[in-house]
Amino acid sequence: MSEEKDLRKTLLVQRVNGFDFLSRDEVIAASNYAPGYKKYLDEGKTERSSVLASKALAEGAGYVPYVRGMTLNPGTKVYTIHRDKAIMLAHIGQKPLEEGALFAAAHLDAPRLDLKPSPLYEDEEMVFFKTHYYGGIRKYQWVTIPLALHGVVVKKDGEVVDVCVGENEDDPVLVITDLLPHLAQDQNDKKLGSAFPGENLNVLIGGAPYADEGKDRFKLAIMSILNDTYGITEHDLFSAELSLVPAGKARDVGLDRSFIGAYGQDDRVCSYTALTALLDLAETPERTAVCILVDKEEIGSEGITGMQSAWFDGFMTDLCASQNARLHVCFENSICLSADVGNAYDPNYPEVSDKRNNARCNGGALVTKYTGARGKAGASDASAELVGLMRRLFEENGVLWQMGELGKVDQGGGGTVAKFMANRNISTIDVGVPVLSMHAPFELTAKLDVYMLYKAISVFYRKAAL
Ligand code: MN
Ligand code: MN
């Protein structure tokens, strides 16, 4: 009998729950890692504020701003910020860059509601902002929840004004209304995807008039408050980036506190784990370790601050120049962890997942060979050799990990920055954390998985090599 048991253990994959696999000390370490992560989530509710939170942590760990042409020796720690929306950090390694760098790339942007360029209007003595959603949202989830306003307004003279309303306990919050059930009969008969049109996601921002009479007196009252607070006029909203995000802080979830609930965990969970894995490197790594936290992943990694931007290549070219290294040689010997979230198996919705291939909460860091949709279209497919390398690395260093795919074939799909790194001839593989309710205003991760991703990226930075 025991022979059969041994054989089963040797020959068959056994799905493992982290609580059964990890030591008591590691479960405690996972729980101790969570408060720092929650603080990072609270400080960074937009890519701009996440960049600032990342910068503060980097400087605390001795990273200095990179200046083009500066001398870079093994052990030098630099960071560079790109147009306030992306940040890249490098810990220069002992080996030359032509022998390859180790990248972890995550994204700081998250689905949200952006204000339109002409957002302000009044209707029936109430004042609203018009919005244009950013990224993949399920619109019904964004009504009747407290929203906070974040962003910047650039005045005519170029002054940049920071706006943040709705995060302090005594701040007002903003909200999108919804029908009462008593009158929702027609709406209830609609399909979920069309019952909440994007053009209806108008945010209530006021209802008190400026004066007893006159045109636009309700709208004027709101603009007057904005003018008193920020010195801005309605014209200034043309040159603004203002976003509505769920108000409030990250919370422990569950009576056992085993989950974290918060807005924007896709992909700040991988941003924080990649960042802290880099900052916590106690010794100069063999290979130069680079953490890339970018913008615009949720809308295709396009544009000047997305992963497709030449900014990344430019920074790496600068690093290579300091060693007379060729960028393309550096890239061909490099490895990238495309650090992004995957879906966690939800027993309430088993019908969308292949339970044999779906990641589980508390199953550890999630390795995904390919993403994409409809026959893997749009995917970067990591080679079996690269998956093998990660397996070895994680298993030999006590990292609990699992293999996962995003759901049933032809049920939907998604993508990450992986293909944009792979297109540069960098060996790339997706690694992340399983998330419940991904892209919802309140997403869930398991503390054990967050910590295991931190550990996975730490091991990668310390030991990986092609
Ligand atoms: Mn993501
Ligand atoms: Mn996403």
Side-chain angles (χ1 to χ4, degrees):
M1 265 325 261
S2 97
E3 197 182 319
E4 184 190 324
K5 210 173 156 188
D6 288 348
L7 205 59
R8 192 176 291 122
K9 214 176 155 188
T10 313
L11 297 186
L12 302 182
V13 172
Q14 314 290 336
R15 185 175 285 286
V16 181
N17 183 294
F19 286 100
D20 300 326
F21 175 85
L22 300 173
S23 68
R24 178 88 200 125
D25 283 354
E26 268 191 313
V27 172
I28 292 170
S31 146
N32 290 342
Y33 183 74
Y37 170 46
K38 289 193 289 177
K39 183 163 177 280
Y40 182 79
L41 289 169
D42 294 342
E43 288 171 356
K45 310 260 314 236
T46 66
E47 61 277 2
R48 285 176 188 266
S49 50
S50 289
V51 162
L52 292 177
S54 306
K55 177 190 168 190
L57 290 175
E59 289 184 340
Y63 279 70
V64 298
Y66 173 72
V67 180
R68 188 165 288 142
M70 73 192 274
T71 306
L72 301 171
N73 297 313
T76 303
K77 300 172 183 178
V78 290
Y79 74 86
T80 183
I81 290 175
H82 183 48
R83 295 166 205 259
D84 297 335
K85 295 181 184 178
I87 182 168
M88 189 147 42
L89 308 92
H91 188 159
I92 306 300
Q94 298 164 29
K95 288 184 183 288
L97 276 163
E98 285 204 356
E99 289 188 36
L102 297 172
F103 300 107
H107 66 94
L108 292 174
D109 61 317
R112 61 183 189 237
L113 304 173
D114 287 342
L115 295 200
K116 287 192 182 190
S118 296
L120 187 64
Y121 73 100
E122 80 172 58
D123 195 0
E124 299 295 334
E125 305 188 333
M126 292 196 279
V127 190
F128 299 89
F129 276 147
K130 291 216 65 81
T131 67
H132 194 146
Y133 66 95
Y134 171 94
I137 63 164
R138 308 192 71 199
K139 299 181 190 86
Y140 74 89
Q141 296 175 336
W142 292 74
V143 300
T144 69
I145 60 165
L147 298 170
L149 184 68
H150 288 256
V152 297
V153 180
V154 178
K155 291 160 72 170
K156 198 177 168 187
D157 63 5
E159 187 196 341
V160 180
V161 183
D162 285 307
V163 173
C164 178
V165 182
E167 298 293 357
N168 291 327
E169 233 156 71
D170 51 350
D171 276 1
V173 293
L174 310 174
V175 73
I176 299 169
T177 58
D178 189 17
L179 277 178
L180 59 168
H182 317 65
L183 299 177
Q185 198 175 307
D186 291 347
Q187 188 192 47
N188 287 344
D189 290 341
K190 289 182 183 166
K191 284 192 170 173
L192 189 56
S194 55
F196 298 84
E199 204 58 65
N200 278 19
L201 297 179
N202 302 318
V203 184
L204 180 66
I205 53 170
Y210 186 80
D212 292 344
E213 51 193 321
K215 190 172 175 281
D216 295 333
R217 62 196 177 112
F218 290 86
K219 180 177 161 180
L220 183 62
I222 289 296
M223 205 57 244
S224 158
I225 291 168
L226 290 173
N227 186 259
D228 288 345
T229 316
Y230 301 109
I232 59 172
T233 68
E234 192 178 2
H235 304 90
D236 295 325
L237 296 176
F238 289 134
S239 47
E241 287 175 355
L242 292 169
S243 304
L244 291 148
V245 300
K249 291 180 159 49
R251 305 286 294 266
D252 284 347
V253 172
L255 298 179
D256 56 9
R257 297 178 179 269
S258 59
F259 296 94
I260 295 168
Y263 164 70
Q265 296 201 70
D266 172 8
D267 185 35
R268 295 178 189 127
V269 66
C270 299
S271 300
Y272 183 74
T273 46
L275 178 64
T276 50
L278 182 74
L279 301 185
D280 291 351
L281 283 178
E283 287 156 22
T284 302
E286 239 179 50
R287 287 177 170 73
T288 295
V290 181
C291 171
I292 310 154
L293 308 179
V294 284
D295 181 29
K296 294 292 184 282
E297 192 280 335
E298 294 295 356
I299 56 168
S301 298
E302 309 279 354
I304 198 161
T305 51
M307 197 64 249
Q308 298 191 67
S309 165
W311 166 64
F312 166 66
D313 311 81
F315 179 65
M316 288 309 299
T317 303
D318 285 343
L319 295 193
C320 282
S322 75
Q323 302 181 358
N324 292 317
R326 292 159 295 175
L327 181 70
H328 72 281
V329 180
C330 171
F331 279 179
E332 77 185 26
N333 291 318
S334 293
I335 310 174
C336 178
L337 297 183
S338 161
D340 207 341
V341 300
N343 75 315
Y345 185 82
D346 186 341
N348 284 312
Y349 298 97
E351 65 278 9
V352 301
S353 293
D354 165 11
K355 66 180 180 187
R356 292 176 185 84
N357 280 285
N358 208 117
R360 300 289 208 281
C361 283
N362 293 312
L366 167 59
V367 176
T368 302
K369 189 175 182 300
Y370 52 82
T371 58
R374 298 170 308 282
K376 306 187 183 179
S380 161
D381 196 349
S383 70
E385 289 83 350
L386 187 57
V387 179
L389 196 148
M390 290 303 138
R391 259 185 77 189
R392 251 189 329 276
L393 198 62
F394 295 160
E395 277 168 23
E396 285 170 5
N397 292 283
V399 176
L400 178 66
W401 71 285
Q402 55 186 326
M403 205 70 198
E405 195 180 332
L406 187 76
K408 271 187 181 166
V409 174
D410 289 339
Q411 183 70 42
T416 65
V417 301
K419 61 179 171 181
F420 306 116
M421 303 308 280
N423 288 348
R424 291 168 160 120
N425 197 25
I426 299 171
S427 294
T428 303
I429 184 164
D430 279 297
V431 175
V433 169
V435 172
L436 288 164
S437 310
M438 193 199 296
H439 284 205
F442 195 71
E443 302 173 311
L444 300 182
T445 55
K447 288 180 182 176
L448 281 192
D449 297 332
V450 176
Y451 183 65
M452 277 300 121
L453 182 63
Y454 162 75
K455 208 171 155 185
I457 301 175
S458 303
V459 166
F460 168 77
Y461 277 145
R462 282 188 279 118
K463 301 190 173 175
L466 279 183

